[in-house]
Amino acid sequence: MRPYRIGVTTDLGRFAPTRQWMRAHPLATDAVLAFGAFVAMVVGSFADPHGPHGPTFGTRTPEPFSLLLMLLGAAALVFRRRQPRAVLAVTCGLSLLELTTGEPRAPVAMCAVIALYTVAAHTDRPTTWRIGLLTMAGLTGVAMLAGPLPWYAQENIGIFAWTGMAAAAGDAVRSRRAFVDAIRERAERAERTRDEEARRRVAEERLRIARDLHDVVAHHIALVNVQAGVAAHVMDKRPDQAKEALAHVRDASRSALNELRATVGLLRQSGDPEAPTEPAPGLGVLDELVDTFRHAGLPVEVIVQVDGEPGVLPAAVDLAAYRVIQEALTNVRKHAGPGAKAEVSVVRVGPSVEVTVLDDGGEGADPAPEPADPGGGHGLLGMRERTGALGGSCFAGPRYGGGYRVHAILPLG
């Protein structure tokens, strides 16, 4: 089967230059068609369809007036695609003139058949039916009633059959073209949709990586800054405490490097042997996260309540909850005043997980941005984007009586 298909493809490919030339020169193509139709009509006018053994050539000769009508009809076919209805009207008029005066009759009606096919191929189906029936009835009726031949002559029946087949063939060609155009349009639309979907996914992945980078850098750099300040403050008087603070700086920087390596590794191509395989952080390492803030001098209380059947959280929800808590505690450490305390609660009830981070503000806390403030930091925006991507919501704003509150709802579905 394979050699046969290749052979067919090769044979069809030979005609590709001819088809391209015909599409590029439609007027010349119609001129060649008109010349071929004229030659066929002239040759057919010399044939007698009523011979003893079928059609015989050379037994009759067309009249000069019939030759003129055939020449005019063929000339009109040159413009059949530019003015299809006008060409049909002209060829029908010439055919009617030949049907009523020609003896012997010449096949001038062939021009009308070609013109009717062109009209049917370039218009809609209702118009094709109307024009086709009118042409069939007009030519056949005149041939039967006003022609020199009996009404039941096979030439009259032939006119009816040829005009009907021309209208049907033109309508079939038009339907096929419309079908092919529809398939091509759907394919192009599907290709555009795939490209748009790919661009959307790339944008979402870039945004997710940017959020991860922001969370990692903001959290660890804030802790490094605090511990470095402590170390510088107690370096001379309490070197042991300074060494402990520097050890925390080292641990925080190592953690930052590890998470940055894991995040940047997502940008590598699949199959890269150097790409990290460590899982994304989640609530399973929440204690380690909280300990880093406690070492930085921020008392944090953690409350975890699970109602119903406990189970493993989806990876996306687990990561989002971890990042929300990380960003919220980082903001507490950066904006809350001295002596501030924080409380973290993770509650799973029904189809969602609710994460709440509260702080009492401490003394001399920095003013926090309002939830609707477009000038707020990227951290608040990142939390809203994370929860929104999962179909949840996130609210962040000042508490009544001082402090700040972050509340996120993450659906499990």
Side-chain angles (χ1 to χ4, degrees), residues 13-150:
R14 297 175 183 175
F15 300 98
T18 303
R19 292 197 299 268
Q20 294 176 359
W21 184 88
M22 293 173 62
R23 295 191 187 99
H25 305 83
L27 189 62
T29 302
D30 291 338
V32 173
L33 175 65
F35 177 76
F38 176 71
V39 172
M41 288 187 294
V42 172
V43 173
S45 63
F46 284 91
D48 183 9
H50 303 285
H53 303 287
T56 56
F57 289 89
T59 58
R60 67 176 184 175
T61 303
E63 297 180 354
F65 183 69
S66 297
L67 292 174
L68 177 62
L69 293 180
M70 289 186 286
L71 179 62
L72 293 177
L77 291 179
V78 178
F79 308 97
R80 67 186 184 94
R81 277 189 278 195
R82 292 189 175 184
Q83 299 290 334
R85 299 192 183 187
V87 171
L88 178 61
V90 171
T91 54
C92 285
L94 297 175
S95 300
L96 292 175
L97 190 60
E98 170 64 21
L99 291 174
T100 54
T101 61
E103 181 59 36
R105 183 181 293 175
V108 182
M110 182 182 295
C111 299
V113 170
I114 298 176
L116 179 59
Y117 164 83
T118 305
V119 171
H122 292 82
T123 187
D124 56 276
R125 180 165 295 173
T127 305
T128 298
W129 277 102
R130 290 194 297 268
I131 295 179
L133 290 176
L134 180 62
T135 304
M136 293 167 58
L139 294 180
T140 307
V142 171
M144 289 182 174
L145 300 178
L149 299 177

Side-chain angles (χ1 to χ4, degrees), residues 47-375:
D48 183 9
H50 303 285
H53 303 287
T56 56
F57 289 89
T59 58
R60 67 176 184 175
T61 303
E63 297 180 354
F65 183 69
S66 297
L67 292 174
L68 177 62
L69 293 180
M70 289 186 286
L71 179 62
L72 293 177
L77 291 179
V78 178
F79 308 97
R80 67 186 184 94
R81 277 189 278 195
R82 292 189 175 184
Q83 299 290 334
R85 299 192 183 187
V87 171
L88 178 61
V90 171
T91 54
C92 285
L94 297 175
S95 300
L96 292 175
L97 190 60
E98 170 64 21
L99 291 174
T100 54
T101 61
E103 181 59 36
R105 183 181 293 175
V108 182
M110 182 182 295
C111 299
V113 170
I114 298 176
L116 179 59
Y117 164 83
T118 305
V119 171
H122 292 82
T123 187
D124 56 276
R125 180 165 295 173
T127 305
T128 298
W129 277 102
R130 290 194 297 268
I131 295 179
L133 290 176
L134 180 62
T135 304
M136 293 167 58
L139 294 180
T140 307
V142 171
M144 289 182 174
L145 300 178
L149 299 177
W151 68 269
Y152 52 84
Q154 62 179 0
E155 288 89 340
N156 299 335
I157 305 301
I159 292 175
F160 179 83
W162 278 105
T163 51
M165 288 188 295
D171 183 71
V173 170
R174 179 198 56 78
S175 300
R176 181 182 180 278
R177 289 174 181 171
F179 178 72
V180 172
D181 292 341
I183 293 178
R184 184 181 295 111
E185 182 182 359
R186 285 197 296 268
E188 294 175 353
R189 189 186 305 115
E191 186 68 23
R192 290 194 300 269
T193 303
R194 284 194 296 268
D195 294 341
E196 293 173 358
E197 178 66 15
R199 287 193 294 268
R200 184 187 65 82
R201 292 191 177 187
V202 169
E204 290 180 353
E205 184 65 15
R206 288 177 177 174
L207 182 60
R208 187 180 68 83
I209 294 174
R211 288 196 300 262
D212 287 341
L213 287 175
H214 172 270
D215 294 341
V216 171
V217 172
H219 165 62
H220 291 289
I221 296 302
L223 295 182
V224 168
N225 181 49
V226 171
Q227 297 292 348
V230 172
H233 182 68
V234 300
M235 180 66 71
D236 297 331
K237 297 181 180 180
R238 287 174 288 179
D240 294 338
Q241 187 175 355
K243 291 181 180 181
E244 183 181 356
L246 292 176
H248 292 316
V249 169
R250 182 185 58 191
D251 295 339
S253 60
R254 184 185 298 113
S255 299
L257 289 175
N258 291 335
E259 291 200 33
L260 284 175
R261 187 180 299 110
T263 303
V264 175
L266 296 175
L267 299 176
R268 293 196 180 105
Q269 296 181 356
S270 60
D272 190 344
E274 298 182 359
T277 57
E278 298 180 0
L283 295 180
V285 293
L286 179 60
D287 293 337
E288 298 178 9
L289 174 66
V290 172
D291 287 341
T292 60
F293 287 99
R294 289 170 179 167
H295 291 316
L298 176 64
V300 181
E301 180 182 358
V302 179
I303 301 175
V304 178
Q305 296 178 354
V306 179
D307 295 342
E309 292 293 332
V312 180
L313 296 179
V317 176
D318 197 24
L319 175 61
Y322 178 88
R323 292 303 188 192
V324 168
I325 296 173
Q326 183 184 49
E327 178 62 28
L329 291 179
T330 302
N331 288 338
V332 173
R333 192 65 190 86
K334 291 168 57 178
H335 298 290
K341 297 180 180 180
E343 178 183 323
V344 177
S345 66
V346 180
V347 180
R348 177 182 175 183
V349 180
S352 63
V353 171
E354 297 187 9
V355 178
T356 306
V357 180
L358 307 174
D359 71 271
D360 55 8
E363 300 177 1
D366 294 337
E370 293 294 330
D373 183 9

